[in-house]
Amino acid sequence: LGRRLRSVLQPGNQVQVTWRARIESQLGTYTVEGLGAHSLAVAREPGRLLALTAALALVSSALPEREPHGPVHDGLAALIDVLDRCDDTAQSGPLWGTGLARWELGLLRDLGFGLDLSACAATGVTQDLTHISPKSGRAVSRAAAQPYLDRLLVLPRFLTLAGSNADGMPDIRDGLTLSAFFIDRYILAPHNRQMPLARLRLAEYVAAAAGRDIL
């Protein structure tokens, strides 16, 4: 890469890349310009670094080649900005965790597998939605979920209320467990792909943090 670009081409940094070639079938050349250096700030805290590498790994594993996905790109840029602005303490977990869980649900939606969080699948009510059906991807209210709790996925409140944040790492664990379940079912498994190792490591980190109740 050369010394000039070594610090620019790091995970999390934003760059503008221009490709030039005489004809489309040629290999061509790239010119790279750095737009935003986020990698150093993110690398200072393990949770944020794991969240960044997990998101980048999902982009590589889940998106079809040569297909434009503007909402996924814009959402990832917003997520990286959140990661950059968090502080270096465990208290930042709900902030970047909220952003990552919402971005993963956005990834599902952009690929045609969005979840229906608008109303209870069983009763039609729009309040107190606490679970998701793993079969339909639709929300279930607290009352309707009671007989089937062992079969349903937890739906944390921050995923149903725009602008709200997670209450703690247990909320983040539930949100990321939910998104990972459907990413694996609808996006990875049909193409015989495994959940990226970076995403598995993040899940382990969040589960451990939730169990310690560090917030």
Side-chain angles (χ1 to χ4, degrees), residues 46-55 58 96-97 100-101 104 169 172-173 176 179 196-209:
R48 286 190 288 160
L49 180 60
L50 287 168
L52 173 63
T53 56
L58 283 173
W96 57 253
L100 179 60
E104 290 188 350
M169 290 303 277
I172 299 304
R173 176 199 58 207
L176 294 177
S179 56
L197 181 59
R199 182 58 174 78
L200 296 176
R201 287 173 175 165
L202 172 69
E204 292 176 354
Y205 174 86
V206 171

Side-chain angles (χ1 to χ4, degrees), residues 106-127:
L107 174 67
L108 281 162
R109 183 169 55 252
D110 197 59
L111 291 173
F113 303 106
L115 307 184
D116 185 354
L117 309 182
S118 61
C120 175
T123 65
V125 301
T126 59
Q127 302 297 321

Side-chain angles (χ1 to χ4, degrees), residues 16-31:
Q16 179 174 300
V17 179
T18 303
W19 175 77
R20 291 187 177 88
R22 188 172 61 84
I23 57 176
E24 187 174 347
S25 60
Q26 285 185 331
L27 184 60
T29 59
Y30 290 92
T31 57

Side-chain angles (χ1 to χ4, degrees), residues 73-139:
H73 172 273
D74 294 344
L76 182 60
L79 173 62
I80 291 174
D81 185 57
V82 170
L83 294 173
D84 191 19
R85 289 186 288 106
C86 286
D87 57 41
D88 297 327
T89 70
Q91 298 293 335
S92 73
L95 295 176
W96 57 253
T98 297
L100 179 60
R102 286 179 171 153
W103 177 80
E104 290 188 350
L105 292 187
L107 174 67
L108 281 162
R109 183 169 55 252
D110 197 59
L111 291 173
F113 303 106
L115 307 184
D116 185 354
L117 309 182
S118 61
C120 175
T123 65
V125 301
T126 59
Q127 302 297 321
D128 203 22
L129 304 177
T130 60
H131 291 78
I132 286 279
S133 166
K135 291 184 178 181
S136 67
R138 297 183 62 189

Side-chain angles (χ1 to χ4, degrees), residues 57-70:
L58 283 173
V59 166
S60 178
S61 300
L63 295 183
E65 289 188 17
R66 300 178 182 271
E67 280 191 12
H69 288 275

